[in-house]
């Protein structure tokens, strides 16, 4: 699911779409999510039963991808199921340590030697991420709308008047909308940096 909604976009742009959901907006919201996931290095939304295969190479710890980790179903090392709290400990930041809280050990050196099954991600997307998603979507939408000039009956929003400009008309399927996508700006990157993989620990 996208990190923001059509309602978020309507409030941000102060316009109302006649179609709900509007197909163009739906696509833009999905692209905004993809841009955020790509930047932070993982999906942020919650998922259950995630299975990851890890090659710890004898290290004391490793990281899984989907954080925050909310539950761990199983950890299997070299085909042996380990006991939580005795054989390993984990943190919500996705760190898995071999051993217990009082006794450290090392993970196997076997390639793909550890299989972790867990739940992770945000059940409720943080508000700052929602804002970034909405900003990205709004930027793509307004840029595409400003460049298009087609029959207004083809779009959920028939027309929009921008202050100091002529009326803008745009199509339901805006041509080359991907070409209008802009990179994350410095403020959006600053917000998302706290969710990046290298900022977990």
């Amino acid at each position: 699911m996208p990190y923001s909604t059509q309602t978020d976009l309507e409030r941000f742009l102060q316009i109302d779409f006649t179609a709900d959901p509007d197909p163009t907006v739906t696509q833009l919201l999905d692209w905004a999510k993809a841009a955020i996931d790509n930047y932070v290095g993982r999906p942020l939304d919650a998922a259950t039963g995630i299975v990851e295969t890890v090659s710890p190479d004898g290290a004391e710890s490793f990281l899984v991808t989907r954080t925050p980790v909310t539950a761990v179903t199983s950890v299997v090392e070299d085909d042996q199921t380990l006991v939580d709290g005795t054989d390993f400990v984990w943190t919500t930041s996705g760190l898995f340590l071999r051993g217990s809280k009082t006794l450290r050990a090392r993970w196997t050196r076997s390639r793909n030697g550890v299989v972790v099954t867990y739940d992770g991600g945000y059940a409720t997307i943080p508000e700052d991420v929602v804002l970034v998603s909405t900003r990205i979507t709004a930027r793509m939408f307004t840029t595409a709308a400003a460049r298009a000039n087609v029959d207004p009956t083809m779009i959920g929003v028939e027309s929009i008047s921008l202050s100091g400009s002529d009326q803008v008309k745009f199509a339901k399927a805006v041509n080359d909308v991907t070409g209008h996508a802009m990179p994350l700006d410095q403020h959006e990157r600053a917000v998302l940096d706290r969710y990046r993989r290298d900022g977990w620990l």
Side-chain angles (χ1 to χ4, degrees):
M1 293 291 290
Y3 296 147
S4 55
T5 66
Q6 181 168 310
T7 299
D8 294 325
L9 182 64
E10 289 174 334
R11 290 172 178 168
F12 189 86
L13 293 175
Q14 291 296 290
I15 61 175
D16 292 320
F17 295 89
T18 57
D20 187 8
D22 181 271
T24 298
V25 172
T26 298
Q27 182 64 77
L28 296 179
L29 290 169
D30 287 340
W31 284 334
K33 179 183 186 299
I36 291 170
D37 289 351
N38 182 64
Y39 184 77
V40 301
R42 72 190 195 281
L44 296 175
D45 46 340
T48 60
I50 305 160
V51 179
E52 289 189 21
T53 301
V54 185
S55 299
D57 195 26
E60 293 183 349
S61 64
F62 63 81
L63 288 166
V64 293
T65 303
R66 200 99 164 208
T67 60
V69 174
T70 55
V72 176
T73 303
S74 67
V75 175
V76 179
E77 181 185 51
D78 293 336
D79 298 323
Q80 298 293 318
T81 300
L82 304 183
V83 178
D84 189 353
T86 301
D87 299 321
F88 71 94
V89 293
W90 59 276
T91 68
T92 57
S93 64
L95 183 69
F96 282 72
L97 290 159
R98 189 67 165 92
S100 64
K101 292 181 179 179
T102 57
L103 181 63
R104 286 194 171 188
R106 291 186 175 273
W107 292 100
T108 179
R109 291 187 176 276
S110 301
R111 183 175 179 81
N112 298 326
V114 179
V115 179
V116 183
T117 305
Y118 69 100
D119 302 343
Y122 292 93
T124 300
I125 298 300
E127 284 298 313
D128 53 356
V129 176
V130 174
L131 176 57
V132 169
S133 174
T134 304
R135 282 169 55 110
I136 295 170
T137 306
R139 191 158 61 245
M140 288 190 290
F141 180 84
T142 55
T143 303
R147 293 188 181 188
N149 184 19
V150 294
D151 183 354
T153 62
M154 297 293 291
I155 182 66
V157 178
E158 294 184 353
S159 64
I160 178 173
S161 296
L162 303 177
S163 178
S165 71
D166 295 330
Q167 188 179 65
V168 175
K169 300 177 181 180
F170 48 98
K172 190 171 188 178
V174 179
N175 292 332
D176 192 29
V177 73
T178 54
H180 308 324
M182 301 178 187
L184 297 170
D185 65 28
Q186 62 178 352
H187 304 293
E188 293 158 357
R189 291 195 300 270
V191 169
L192 296 178
D193 279 345
R194 66 187 297 259
Y195 299 99
R196 297 189 75 178
R197 185 185 180 98
D198 55 13
W200 291 356
L201 299 182

